[in-house]
Amino acid sequence: MLNKYARAFFTRVLTPFAAFLLRRGVSPDAVTLIGTAGVVAGALVFFPRGEFFWGTITITAFVFSDLVDGNMARQAGVSSRWGAFLDSTLDRVADAAIFGGLALWYAGSGHDNLLCAVAIFCLASGQVVSYTKARGESIGLPVAVNGMIERAERLVISLVAAGVSGLEKFGVPSWIGVLLPVALWVVAVGSLVTLVQRVVTVRRESAEADAAEAEAAAGRAAAEGGAV
């Protein structure tokens, strides 16, 4: 849902900035690489130390590169399969760093193996949710379903909760720290539901496609038999 509405809004907001970067000779691929590097650094430097506020600020500063690079490519008329591949691949790297950083915190100073496991599940399920759509489309299916929680929802829920939880170090009451565990559970359950939704959709669409192909083959066979 956020992909549908928020992406269009931020694309319009970031269009002048994308044009500015193009005038300075910056390439869309460079923005993709720098943005991913910033997200990975913010997640793996700050999150394992429990610095959730500053980690979230750093990640947020770079995460919008995902919108800027595509905007730049469209403005410059250089959209390509390579650019789309690079962007999608590095999105997975950034997501893994975010949830990996949270898992490292809970495995270490956070002293909570259960939440470590939940964070790892969020990491893995997010990768698989993205893969199911990509794989379904690669075999010619529309995969006409978004699901409960997509990448945008995963990032917003997790980063907002992490950033707010990090305010505990600035004197905010300690109960605020419960928001991050709750967010991780929400993302985990939502990702599982989304995965099931996509698998069910691919199964239905593949059955329909196979039936249509079989019917077409039968029709061709009947036509050839009649011609003989």
Side-chain angles (χ1 to χ4, degrees), residues 50-70:
E51 297 288 346
F52 298 128
F53 177 79
W54 293 116
T56 299
I57 293 298
T58 303
I59 292 168
T60 302
F62 287 97
V63 78
F64 284 106
S65 65
D66 187 45
L67 299 177
V68 174
D69 55 6

Side-chain angles (χ1 to χ4, degrees), residues 110-191:
H111 303 297
D112 195 320
N113 289 337
L114 177 59
L115 285 175
C116 173
V118 173
I120 292 173
F121 180 83
C122 290
L123 188 164
S125 61
Q127 307 292 316
V128 177
V129 163
S130 297
Y131 173 79
T132 53
K133 188 172 182 66
R135 181 59 178 146
E137 291 174 343
S138 74
I139 58 176
L141 300 175
V143 195
V145 62
N146 290 323
M148 178 182 292
I149 290 186
E150 296 183 275
R151 182 173 188 257
E153 285 85 0
R154 289 197 302 272
L155 291 181
V156 169
I157 293 171
S158 303
L159 292 178
V160 169
V164 174
S165 295
L167 293 175
E168 183 179 347
K169 292 192 174 183
F170 295 89
V172 174
S174 59
W175 61 262
I176 203 74
V178 76
L179 291 180
L180 182 54
V182 169
L184 287 175
W185 278 107
V186 169
V187 170
V189 173
S191 296

